[in-house]
Amino acid sequence: VEENKMIVPENFEEMLSTLPKEKSWGAGGCFYKYQGFWYSSVWLLGTIWAQQCFKARDTDFLLASSPKSGTTWMKALMIAIVNRKHHGSLSSSSHPLLIKNPHNCVPFLEVRDQEHMIGSNPITYLDSLPAASPRLLSTHIPYSSLPKSVLAGRIVYIARNPKDVFVSFWKFSEQFASKNNQKLQKSPSISMEEAFELFCNGVSTNGPFWDHVLGYWKASMERPDEVLFVKYEDMKRDTMHHVKKLAEFIGHPFSSEEEREGVLQAVIELCSFENLSNLEVNKSGTFQVHVASQTGQNQLLVDNSAFFRRGEVGDSKNHLTPEMLERLDKITQEKLGTFGLEL
Ligand code: A3P
C-alpha cells in the first residue's frame, strides 16, 4: 500500500494557536475547541486527518462513543459476535479477544495503535483492509464532525451516565498521566474538583459530553435503521436483550438454534468484565497510540488494564459528594430532558 503523503498538515501548529484553549485534565497539554468540541492536540490532529482522508464503505460498522462510556465492552461484543463462527469455538486459543485487547481488534478512525499501523498516515491501514469483509471501526468524533462519507453509514453509539463517565475518566487519566509523564507537555496538576468544574462546563475530551450524546441521539431518532443508540446501564441490566439487538443490527443475528446451544450466553460471558479483565493480555499488555508530530513519531502508552476498572453502574457515588452528583443530574436533566433522553 502506497503511503499517502500527508502526515501532519503544515499549518497544524498555526491552526492550534488560533483555536480557543482551555486547561486540560487527563490528556496532557491543553484542550482546543474545534467545531464546537474540545480535543487534545493528538485527537484533534487525528480527527482532522479522518475528516480529510477517510472514505467510508457501505459495509462499515462504526462504533461511536464519548470516552469512558463502555467502548471497550462494545468493541469486544462486536468482535465476538462477528467472529463467532470463524474460530471453531469462542474459547479457541486463536480467538482475537484472547490474544489482543479489544482496542487492538477494532481500530479508531482518528488514532493508530500498534496493530493498525502502516507508515505514519493513520488512514492508510484502514484503506488496506480487504473490501470483501465489513470493517468494524470506532471513533470518539462527535456526530457533527464525522467525516462526511460516514454520515450515510451504520453507527452504533454507546452512551453512559455522566457521573460515572466523569469518575471513570478521572481515574483513567491518573493512570495515563503517570505512564506518559515525560512524553506529554507537562500539564499543571489539577485537582478532581477542578476537573469536575471543567467537565460541568463542557470541557472534557470530545466534550461537551451532553452535546456529544445529543448529536448521536438525534441521529438515532432521524435514522433509526442506521443509527443504534445503546445505554451502558441498559446493557448491564439486560445484557442478553441488548446483545441480541446489537447482533441483529450488525447483520449477525443469533438463530434460535444458537440460543438453544448457548452461543449467545457464551458471547456474553467471553465479553464480561470479569472474563476480559482477567485475561493475561489485558492484565499485562500495553495499548500504544502512535502519534505523528512535526518532530516525528511518538508513542503514548496505556496499560490494557486501565480499560478495566470496576465496570459497574453508580460507582460515582463512592467518589463524588452528594452536591456534585446532584449538580450533574441537574445539568443532564436540563440538557437532555427536553429531547426525551434520560441518562
Ligand atoms: P469504570 O471506570 O467505571 O470501571 P471505555 O471502554 O469507553 O474506555 O470505558 C471504560 C469503562 O468501561 C470503565 O468503567 C471500564 O471498567 C468499563 N468496562 C470495560 N470493560 C467492560 C466490560 N466488559 N463490561 C462492563 N464494563 C466494562
Side-chain angles (χ1 to χ4, degrees), residues 83-140:
N83 282 285
R84 69 183 187 266
K85 294 190 181 113
H86 299 321
H87 289 273
S89 101
L90 287 166
S91 56
S92 132
S93 57
S94 66
H95 195 286
L97 286 174
L98 301 180
I99 311 168
K100 297 186 215 172
N101 174 275
H103 290 283
N104 291 132
C105 300
V106 181
F108 281 102
L109 288 188
E110 64 271 44
V111 293
R112 276 331 68 212
D113 61 83
Q114 66 266 39
E115 297 283 335
H116 302 111
M117 283 294 291
I118 294 182
S120 46
N121 182 310
I123 305 297
T124 315
Y125 173 82
L126 301 180
D127 283 345
S128 78
L129 293 170
S133 48
R135 297 183 299 184
L136 296 181
L137 305 167
S138 76
T139 189
H140 290 320

Side-chain angles (χ1 to χ4, degrees), residues 67-73 160 168 232 236 271-273 276 307-311:
K68 300 297 122 196
S69 299
T71 322
T72 315
W73 188 15
R160 189 183 188 189
S168 184
Y232 181 89
K236 289 289 286 191
C271 299
S272 71
F273 180 87
L276 289 182
F307 293 108
F308 306 93
R309 194 182 61 90
R310 289 201 62 180

Side-chain angles (χ1 to χ4, degrees), residues 25 33 56 65 115 124 155 222 243 277 318 327:
W25 54 283
K33 198 173 202 179
S65 61
E115 297 283 335
T124 315
I155 299 173
E222 283 157 20
V243 171
S277 60
N318 303 318
R327 183 162 164 208

Side-chain angles (χ1 to χ4, degrees), residues 174-314:
E174 287 179 329
Q175 249 260 359
F176 186 75
S178 70
K179 195 95 188 161
N180 296 285
N181 245 344
Q182 277 125 31
K183 297 207 184 86
L184 298 170
Q185 299 152 272
K186 265 209 167 164
S187 41
S189 64
I190 189 168
S191 66
M192 186 175 87
E193 287 68 24
E194 210 181 335
F196 182 79
E197 199 58 38
L198 287 165
F199 183 78
C200 288
N201 291 325
V203 184
S204 60
T205 301
N206 296 58
F209 171 84
W210 298 271
D211 294 353
H212 198 284
V213 178
L214 263 184
Y216 285 95
W217 173 250
K218 288 179 186 165
S220 77
M221 295 283 120
E222 283 157 20
R223 301 193 296 125
D225 292 341
E226 283 116 22
V227 183
L228 178 70
F229 190 98
V230 188
K231 295 180 196 171
Y232 181 89
E233 293 74 15
D234 290 344
M235 293 279 302
K236 289 289 286 191
R237 196 167 30 80
D238 191 353
T239 313
M240 193 173 277
H241 171 76
H242 290 281
V243 171
K244 274 163 73 171
K245 222 167 122 179
L246 176 66
E248 276 165 34
F249 185 79
I250 59 177
H252 292 262
F254 288 93
S255 65
S256 34
E257 195 183 338
E258 278 183 304
E259 280 191 46
R260 259 198 319 277
E261 286 169 358
V263 181
L264 171 60
Q265 198 55 42
V267 163
I268 291 172
E269 274 163 28
L270 173 66
C271 299
S272 71
F273 180 87
E274 290 65 32
N275 187 57
L276 289 182
S277 60
N278 281 307
L279 293 175
E280 201 46 47
V281 60
N282 293 326
K283 283 201 288 196
S284 61
T286 308
F287 180 70
Q288 303 170 11
V289 173
H290 289 254
V291 184
S293 70
Q294 266 137 349
T295 50
Q297 287 287 317
N298 211 340
Q299 264 179 21
L300 296 177
L301 306 175
V302 184
D303 285 336
N304 287 342
S305 62
F307 293 108
F308 306 93
R309 194 182 61 90
R310 289 201 62 180
E312 281 168 18
V313 173

